[in-house]
Amino acid sequence: QVQLVESGGGLVQAGGSLRLSCAASGRFYGMGWFRQAPGLERRFVSAISATNGSTYYAESVKGRFAISRDNAKNTVYLQMNSLKPEDTAIYYCAAIYRYRSRWYDNGANYDYWGLGTQVTVSS
């Protein structure tokens, strides 16, 4: 049974930082983060390839968020800096088992999902 377990969410003031972690029970081609704010659809945030380390970011988080991985621990991290109230959402970790063309920013490409962790940024 594949499991993805997110941690690290919480409440932070605008301008602050949080670090999310996602521990996976298996090894995957790539892992990503998506977020869903109330009343909105789930949106891509960032992704990383476990094979070559390529990273991908949504325009809204470029320069503020950084994704990294520890292959030995099957864990992916999302360092979130300069947080804004509009970053408030449930953040979901996802994993893709096999490569697909432009795999990273389409949630439909991912095979497994975590339950999510709440991030709240106060103004």
Side-chain angles (χ1 to χ4, degrees), residues 28-89:
F28 302 94
Y29 175 81
M31 295 182 70
W33 290 95
F34 290 74
R35 66 186 181 187
Q36 187 168 20
L40 298 178
E41 62 183 13
R42 186 175 59 195
R43 294 180 177 176
F44 168 72
V45 176
S46 182
I48 186 167
S49 166
T51 55
N52 61 19
S54 295
T55 58
Y56 309 90
Y57 296 95
E59 285 296 326
S60 59
V61 305
K62 277 184 180 178
R64 299 189 298 123
F65 291 11
I67 192 169
S68 60
R69 75 195 196 282
D70 184 335
N71 284 348
K73 296 181 179 179
N74 289 339
T75 299
V76 170
Y77 305 97
L78 186 67
Q79 178 67 44
M80 305 187 295
N81 300 324
S82 302
L83 282 161
K84 305 175 181 180
E86 50 264 43
D87 294 317
T88 295

Side-chain angles (χ1 to χ4, degrees), residues 6 20 30-37 41-48 58 65 67 78 80 87 89-96 102-117 119:
E6 303 101 332
L20 304 183
M31 295 182 70
W33 290 95
F34 290 74
R35 66 186 181 187
Q36 187 168 20
E41 62 183 13
R42 186 175 59 195
R43 294 180 177 176
F44 168 72
V45 176
S46 182
I48 186 167
F65 291 11
I67 192 169
L78 186 67
M80 305 187 295
D87 294 317
I90 299 175
Y91 283 70
Y92 296 92
C93 175
I96 184 169
R102 196 180 169 114
W103 59 272
Y104 51 90
D105 61 354
N106 184 346
N109 288 335
Y110 287 77
D111 300 300
Y112 303 101
W113 291 84
L115 297 178
T117 185
V119 171

